[in-house]
């Protein structure tokens, strides 16, 4: 979704739990989405992406689900570890329209805290 | 190999002064992007350069902001007559290309700008 002011959603989990982070998008024509992880003091880091011809994509301990009907993305992290603590953003290169993939529009982000 | 580097890492300036922020992209990356991350607005796109094409400046918030990319490599973001609302972390990213294809954007650590 749009960033309209920063009261970031927070998710606090215990080490070993599974985490689910959600994101809504606005442009029904968007066909590609990306999840980024941002640790304190660092730039965002690519985690996983998904194209709209897929409903699900799996990586190492991460899965992204895409529901085009309700324009919703989720990032699932399995067996969450303290090193997963960070802010997680979804990004849509086509949120503002057009077909280019260069200009990322980021969601507001979710703060994930993993307790040992 | 070396990632995207930005300098300075921190910059404190007085209101009304001009500042220049530098980005060194990953060697061989033809696309370069600037984003801004602030508490009030989240992570927002500013401008991107793709090869020799005219840059997409659609995210620049005012005419006080400008950027250039010399020799298809290093980029400088200039903010003239800085205002307190310009305080933010300025992030640079680079990728192999952006037009017509999907390429991962690699982010630098950012420059934290504080306008007093």
């Amino acid at each position: 979704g749009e960033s309209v002011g920063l009261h970031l959603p927070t998710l606090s989990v215990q080490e070993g739990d599974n985490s689910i982070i959600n994101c809504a998008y606005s442009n029904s024509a968007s066909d590609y989405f990306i999840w980024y992880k941002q640790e304190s003091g660092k730039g965002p880091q690519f985690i996983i992406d998904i194209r709209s011809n897929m409903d699900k994509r799996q990586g190492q301990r991460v899965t992204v689900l895409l529901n085009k009907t309700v324009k919703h993305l989720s990032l699932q992290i399995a067996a969450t570890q303290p090193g997963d603590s960070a802010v997680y953003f979804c990004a849509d290169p086509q949120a503002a329209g057009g077909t280019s993939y260069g200009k990322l529009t980021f969601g507001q982000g979710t703060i994930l805290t993993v307790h040992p | 190999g070396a990632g995207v580097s930005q300098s300075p890492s921190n910059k404190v300036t007085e209101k009304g002064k001009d500042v220049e922020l530098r980005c060194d992209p990953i060697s061989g990356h033809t696309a370069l992007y600037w984003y801004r991350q602030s508490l009030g607005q989240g992570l927002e796109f500013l401008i991107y350069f793709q090869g020799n094409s005219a840059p997409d400046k659609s995210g620049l918030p005012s005419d006080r902001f400008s950027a250039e990319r010399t020799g298809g490599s290093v980029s400088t973001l200039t903010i003239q007559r800085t205002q307190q609302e310009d305080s933010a972390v300025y992030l640079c990213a680079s990728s192999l290309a952006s037009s017509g294809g999907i390429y991962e954007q690699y982010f630098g650590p950012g420059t934290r700008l504080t306008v007093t």
Side-chain angles (χ1 to χ4, degrees), chain B residues 13 17 26 33 46-47 51 53 64 67 77-79 82 87-88 95 102 108-109:
Chain B
T13 190
K17 300 286 189 183
I26 293 172
Y33 316 80
L46 296 177
I47 184 171
S53 302
R64 296 186 296 105
L77 177 69
T78 300
I79 309 173
T82 51
S87 295
S95 73
I102 297 174

Side-chain angles (χ1 to χ4, degrees), chain B:
Chain B
V4 177
S5 60
Q6 293 186 244
S7 61
S9 55
N10 282 282
K11 176 72 177 179
V12 180
T13 190
E14 292 181 352
K15 177 181 173 181
K17 300 286 189 183
D18 298 351
V19 294
E20 288 188 349
L21 311 179
R22 177 187 169 105
C23 173
D24 285 83
I26 293 172
S27 178
H29 280 192
T30 58
L32 186 147
Y33 316 80
W34 284 98
Y35 296 87
R36 177 170 73 172
Q37 188 168 29
S38 62
L39 289 177
Q41 298 297 323
L43 222 170
E44 54 183 345
F45 165 82
L46 296 177
I47 184 171
Y48 91 85
F49 300 86
Q50 167 51 37
N52 296 320
S53 302
D56 180 336
K57 305 179 182 180
S58 59
L60 295 178
S62 78
D63 58 9
R64 296 186 296 105
F65 288 72
S66 63
E68 63 177 22
R69 189 177 185 193
T70 54
S73 181
V74 171
S75 177
T76 302
L77 177 69
T78 300
I79 309 173
Q80 295 178 310
R81 306 180 300 282
T82 51
Q83 304 294 313
Q84 288 187 329
E85 61 263 29
D86 299 334
S87 295
V89 176
Y90 289 82
L91 292 159
C92 177
S94 70
S95 73
L96 283 171
S98 66
S99 59
I102 297 174
Y103 297 89
E104 180 180 340
Q105 294 185 26
Y106 295 81
F107 283 81
T111 293
R112 180 175 296 279
L113 175 67
T114 304
V115 182
T116 62

Side-chain angles (χ1 to χ4, degrees), chain A residues 9-39:
Chain A
T10 59
L11 176 63
S12 185
V13 301
Q14 290 297 125
E15 181 177 2
D17 287 352
N18 296 332
S19 302
I20 300 176
I21 298 169
N22 297 302
C23 178
Y25 64 94
S26 55
N27 184 3
S28 56
S30 292
D31 65 9
Y32 176 67
F33 304 91
I34 314 147
W35 280 98
Y36 282 90
K37 171 186 180 183
Q38 187 176 26
E39 296 175 282

